[in-house]
Amino acid sequence: MRRIRVPNSNVLKACEPTEIDLSGAADWVPFDAPALVGDSLRFVSGDSRGDRFRARYYRDADKHLHARFWLGPEAEGPPGHAHGGAVAAIMDEALGLAAWAAGYPIVVGNLNVSFRNMLPLKKVVTVESRVVSVEGRKIMVHGRIFRGDTTFAEAQCLCITIPGK
Ligand SMILES: CC(C)(COP(=O)(O)OP(=O)(O)OC[C@H]1O[C@@H](n2cnc3c(N)ncnc32)[C@H](O)[C@@H]1OP(=O)(O)O)[C@@H](O)C(=O)NCCC(=O)NCCSC(=O)Cc1ccccc1
């Protein structure tokens, strides 16, 4: 009987492209997030060759923060799609960072995420964000994860400035 040899997962992984195109739109400028908030972003965007998240941040001419994200097999929830916690983690980092990038040293006090469509793994998606209001220590940031016409998630993030920072 002929035996079919199935490559093990390490061989399959080695065959996958390691370079993912996370380039930004023509009018975006790369944004150095760790230079602003330090290495504490490692949880989500710290491993540029990892199998969970790969990310690159940008700002547009109006200083709004954008990001390209790729979610790999280690971010899986429903088969072939992102875990809800992975999506929430992206929102936490990206929307918190949007407040920092706008000049507010903050932590996130409340994060409300709506999961609109299942987010496919191994596709590059875009995160957009806006600081929509500032009231005393409360900075409200809205954001969206999308690809083409499909919105995967929307979020409202209440950020609270850290006194003394
Ligand atoms: C600091 C604070 C959020 C607030 O405490 P305090 O300083 O004692 O301030 P106070 O309680 O007086 O509130 C001031 C005002 O705010 C309001 N308000 C507050 N909360 C809420 C709420 N939930 N919902 C609604 N409103 C709320 C409150 O009513 C008050 O309003 P008022 O002035 O009366 O009108 C504290 O609860 C805390 O540390 N939480 C843990 C945060 C944490 O671990 N986050 C995760 C890690 S960060 C991360 O991962 C993201 C990241 C990404 C990129 C880069 C970096 C970071």
Side-chain angles (χ1 to χ4, degrees):
M1 187 170 44
R2 262 187 85 199
R3 297 174 94 187
I4 299 169
R5 288 172 64 100
V6 179
N8 69 32
S9 60
N10 284 339
V11 173
L12 288 172
K13 197 171 151 186
C15 295
E16 285 180 5
T18 50
E19 291 303 329
I20 311 283
D21 181 11
L22 295 173
S23 55
D27 60 334
W28 294 355
V29 174
F31 179 72
D32 186 356
L36 182 64
V37 296
D39 283 338
S40 60
L41 297 178
R42 276 194 303 259
F43 178 63
V44 172
S45 64
D47 185 358
S48 62
R49 296 179 75 81
D51 277 338
R52 182 166 289 119
F53 302 109
R54 300 188 192 186
R56 208 170 293 164
Y57 284 99
Y58 300 90
R59 281 210 289 191
D60 63 23
D62 295 321
K63 304 275 188 221
H64 297 306
L65 192 73
H66 303 261
R68 299 278 199 224
F69 264 87
W70 174 94
L71 286 77
E74 289 180 16
E76 189 168 40
H81 294 82
H83 191 284
V87 173
I90 290 173
M91 290 297 200
D92 180 66
E93 178 173 295
L95 304 196
L97 194 54
W100 275 83
Y104 303 101
I106 56 85
V107 287
V108 171
N110 180 268
L111 179 64
N112 183 353
V113 182
S114 297
F115 301 97
R116 298 296 187 195
N117 283 287
M118 296 211 298
L119 191 159
L121 299 179
K122 300 184 182 179
K123 300 277 184 208
V124 175
V125 296
T126 301
V127 185
E128 65 178 9
S129 62
R130 289 280 182 285
V131 174
V132 297
S133 67
V134 178
E135 274 176 50
R137 293 178 58 201
K138 294 184 278 192
I139 319 299
M140 180 59 82
V141 184
H142 288 182
R144 183 169 81 102
I145 303 177
F146 66 97
R147 179 181 165 91
D149 292 337
T150 305
T151 295
F152 301 111
E154 294 166 322
Q156 296 88 41
C157 181
L158 175 65
C159 302
I160 311 293
T161 55
I162 310 162
K165 266 271 184 180

